[in-house]
Amino acid sequence: MNNKNAVRGAIITEFINSKDKNMKFSSVQELIKEGNVGDFYFKYKRKEESENIHTANRIMKLDLYKKEIITVDRNVYKILNQYGEIRAK
């Protein structure tokens, strides 16, 4: 893993399929049931009270043990949501 990139905190609001934009999930559990995690990107907030929503690149690796997501551009995001709380707002 590329250690020069800092780990960013992310409160995930939505997972979106990069091929079919109508396929959206609001929880990690739904994303895992779908299967191919690499076809999805996600939208997130940096702080819970923030109104700004950012978009990350496609997911390369989802590590539920460490609660981290690594994207294809090698950015690392720490999931700040509690288990089962990743819901679109």
Side-chain angles (χ1 to χ4, degrees), residues 17-56:
N17 191 306
S18 61
K19 296 175 184 171
D20 180 10
K21 305 289 188 223
N22 294 325
M23 188 181 297
K24 298 179 182 181
F25 297 115
S26 58
S27 72
V28 173
Q29 293 82 3
E30 293 173 335
L31 178 68
I32 292 171
K33 284 180 187 177
E34 175 59 32
N36 196 359
V37 176
D39 285 343
F40 288 85
Y41 64 94
F42 61 95
K43 294 191 177 208
Y44 68 97
K45 297 180 184 180
R46 291 191 179 142
K47 297 178 183 174
E48 191 166 337
E49 63 275 356
S50 175
E51 294 296 320
N52 298 335
I53 296 179
H54 306 279
T55 303

Side-chain angles (χ1 to χ4, degrees), residues 10-15 42-44 69 79 81 86-87:
I11 299 171
I12 303 193
T13 58
E14 185 174 40
F15 293 100
F42 61 95
K43 294 191 177 208
Y44 68 97
I69 297 175
I79 301 172
N81 305 70
I86 299 177
R87 297 278 177 219

Side-chain angles (χ1 to χ4, degrees), residues 39-76:
D39 285 343
F40 288 85
Y41 64 94
F42 61 95
K43 294 191 177 208
Y44 68 97
K45 297 180 184 180
R46 291 191 179 142
K47 297 178 183 174
E48 191 166 337
E49 63 275 356
S50 175
E51 294 296 320
N52 298 335
I53 296 179
H54 306 279
T55 303
N57 283 330
R58 284 189 314 118
I59 298 170
M60 183 172 74
K61 180 181 177 185
L62 175 65
D63 187 346
L64 295 177
Y65 182 72
K66 293 181 182 178
K67 292 182 74 174
E68 291 181 346
I69 297 175
I70 302 172
T71 58
V72 294
D73 60 350
R74 300 283 188 200
N75 287 331
V76 180

